[in-house]
Amino acid sequence: MTDTASPPPARRLPEHAPMQQFAVQEGELVIGGERLSVLAERVGQTPFYAYDRGALRQRVAELRQALPRQVKLHYAMKANPMPAVVGFMAGLVDGIDVASAGELKVALDAGADPAEVSFAGPGKTEAELRRAVASRVLINLESAREVQLLAGITQRLGLPARVAVRVNPDFELKGSGMKMGGGPKQFGVDVEQLPALMAEIRAAGLGFEGFHLFAGSQNLRAESICDAQQQSYALALRLAEIAPAPVQFLNLGGGFGIPYFPGEQRLDLAPIGENLAGLVERAARELPQASLVIELGRYLVGEAGVYVARVLDRKVSRGQVFLVTDGGLHHHLSASGNFGQVVRKNYPVTIGNRLGEEAREAASVVGPLCTPLDLLADRMQLPVAREGDLAVVFQSGAYGASASPQNFLGHPGCVEVLV
Ligand SMILES: *Cc1c(COP(=O)(O)O)cnc(C)c1O
């Protein structure tokens, strides 16, 4: 052993991807052009969600830059159905994808062009289907029952239903957080059942317009997204041969993820753009009437939003610091780890009005609910916070307010602002 031997390198824990979508001014995050403390005054209460128009605009611009211009970009509004957000997005993207008649109303109110609205989801009711036909939007069929219902509606209204078939493919999106295609699923129609379904669509006199393939969600690996797009395209090409009419819309799904947890990296769009360019070229020859569509939810809106809660109490329990805030899992179920996560991990969290400060400590950010599940950050290194400070959860623009059990435990609801 020599005295020049260096000590073993300290094991570095994985860190969150840097959150650079918002500027910092005087030690405070700037959201929608306003320092966080001033924004909180403007909103008039905590907790709140704030969505930044500039960040939304920039995200769409980056996508347009990276993807071929022929590919249509749809916003899957279940990620963030706030009417002001949907209205803003409707002006930026080519279409809106809805998953209920309630969402359909918001999309149409927002001014979305019905020609570019599509409606997916299992278990559509008769009433929902009637509203969709009368709205002249594209219905992504999920079962033979929907074909039968639409046959009757088409006759009664004298309007042919516009339909695409949501296909449950015989492959899965590898590496995605939530699988929504492949194997036995409640979504779409199994490939094996499609020949019979196509015949029923033809017999019912529905207006067939294309296919919808959605393999899964929250994928950070460009390679597996490209793979799923290739396989989806190949399957659609095969299915086009038994389709009752030429394919006009080929929705290749989405699944683009954003980094939430330590160690996750941002998705690389460049290979996806190249992959889609190849498919656009093939489609021009092989499916000449088809537009390729991708539908994105969280990738469009997730990084543009923050959730902000005020520190009410700073408690130290047996050496561990707890920042008790006025916000929690009732507003932000996913940050608490209870919206589909298997192992709880921390979202990126900070103290949004103390970013310039050196002093840091390990602290847990919790909410006011009487359950240990009400945890927004578990022993994270954070700027040292005091009562009145503003805890911020990044990556909160998607699956936040609308995906949380606001009535659980009877605390006040939260406010959402688009700034
Ligand atoms: C949920 C959903 C989306 C959006 O998923 P994200 O992960 O938010 O991009 C897109 N299409 C369909 C059919 C969906 O169900």
Side-chain angles (χ1 to χ4, degrees):
M1 197 174 148
T2 67
D3 55 4
T4 56
S6 46
R11 212 176 118 247
R12 294 241 341 216
L13 292 173
E15 287 176 16
H16 284 102
M19 295 293 127
Q20 289 161 334
Q21 57 274 54
F22 306 108
V24 176
Q25 220 178 68
E26 298 169 50
E28 294 194 39
L29 272 185
V30 176
I31 314 280
E34 198 62 89
R35 276 187 293 127
L36 187 64
S37 57
V38 179
L39 178 61
E41 292 303 317
R42 173 185 147 181
V43 174
Q45 73 153 75
T46 51
F48 63 90
Y49 281 92
Y51 315 118
D52 184 306
R53 285 188 175 88
L56 293 169
R57 209 182 282 115
Q58 192 184 334
R59 179 45 62 99
V60 174
E62 285 162 7
L63 273 162
R64 299 278 195 201
Q65 184 71 32
L67 308 185
R69 67 182 160 71
Q70 296 91 333
V71 171
K72 289 184 173 169
L73 191 56
H74 279 201
Y75 173 47
M77 65 171 277
K78 82 167 187 279
N80 188 328
M82 182 197 185
V85 168
V86 178
F88 187 71
M89 294 305 290
L92 293 177
V93 298
D94 303 306
I96 305 282
D97 292 339
V98 305
S100 69
E103 287 193 353
L104 175 61
K105 177 182 187 305
V106 175
L108 295 176
D109 286 349
D113 175 5
E116 294 285 345
V117 170
S118 61
F119 179 12
K124 298 181 197 75
T125 65
E126 228 268 76
E128 281 182 310
L129 290 169
R130 274 207 315 271
R131 288 169 68 180
V133 174
S135 306
R136 301 171 192 269
V137 302
L138 184 66
I139 298 163
N140 291 327
L141 291 171
E142 312 250 354
S143 77
R145 166 190 159 270
E146 291 184 357
V147 175
Q148 292 318 315
L149 287 172
L150 286 171
I153 293 167
T154 287
Q155 273 204 335
R156 281 196 299 281
L157 297 188
L159 283 175
R162 300 177 53 215
V163 301
V165 176
R166 182 171 181 180
V167 181
N168 180 22
D170 34 19
F171 55 86
E172 288 188 342
L173 180 53
K174 277 179 245 127
S176 81
M178 257 184 226
K179 293 189 172 48
M180 291 177 66
K185 289 283 181 302
Q186 74 266 49
F187 307 108
V189 181
D190 295 352
V191 171
E192 306 84 290
Q193 296 175 18
L194 285 183
L197 191 85
M198 297 292 193
E200 287 171 40
I201 292 171
R202 196 187 304 260
L206 308 185
F208 172 88
E209 297 190 11
F211 295 108
H212 176 217
L213 291 113
F214 183 76
S217 180
Q218 180 51 21
N219 200 314
L220 290 167
R221 289 170 42 200
E223 195 190 322
S224 50
I225 291 174
C226 293
D227 205 42
Q229 288 173 344
Q230 287 290 343
Q231 293 192 62
S232 297
Y233 180 85
L235 177 56
L237 196 59
R238 202 153 41 85
L239 296 173
E241 288 173 19
I242 55 165
V247 174
Q248 297 173 50
F249 284 98
L250 175 50
N251 185 333
L252 293 174
F256 298 16
I258 61 173
Y260 288 107
F261 306 121
E264 292 183 343
Q265 310 276 319
R266 287 201 159 66
L267 179 65
D268 184 5
L269 286 181
I272 300 175
E274 271 171 44
N275 189 57
L276 284 172
L279 292 179
V280 164
E281 212 171 274
R282 282 185 64 186
R285 279 179 281 118
E286 296 166 339
L287 298 168
Q289 301 189 33
S291 299
L292 300 190
V293 180
I294 57 167
E295 51 176 10
L296 302 175
R298 85 181 75 232
Y299 191 81
L300 291 174
V301 295
E303 303 212 57
V306 290
Y307 175 66
V308 182
R310 199 175 290 279
V311 177
L312 298 175
D313 201 351
R314 179 197 159 83
K315 296 177 68 173
V316 181
S317 167
R318 309 221 157 93
Q320 194 179 327
V321 177
F322 289 89
L323 303 172
V324 184
T325 68
D326 56 5
L329 84 72
H330 52 316
H331 304 148
H332 204 331
L333 190 65
S334 32
S336 78
N338 294 291
F339 187 69
Q341 294 97 321
V342 180
V343 178
R344 192 195 175 284
K345 296 181 198 137
N346 287 326
Y347 266 47
V349 169
T350 193
I351 305 300
N353 59 314
R354 294 199 182 272
L355 296 177
E357 297 180 17
E358 292 285 298
R360 298 196 150 240
E361 65 179 356
S364 294
V365 180
V366 302
L369 305 190
C370 234
T371 161
L373 299 177
D374 193 10
L375 185 59
L376 294 175
D378 184 17
R379 288 163 293 172
M380 274 181 86
Q381 283 295 320
L382 296 174
V384 176
R386 290 180 217 140
E387 283 174 30
D389 282 349
L390 296 167
V392 170
V393 183
F394 291 102
Q395 309 298 74
S396 296
Y399 305 109
S402 72
S404 300
Q406 302 238 3
N407 292 333
F408 184 40
L409 270 150
H411 288 276
C414 62
V415 170
E416 296 178 274
V417 289
L418 174 64
V419 292

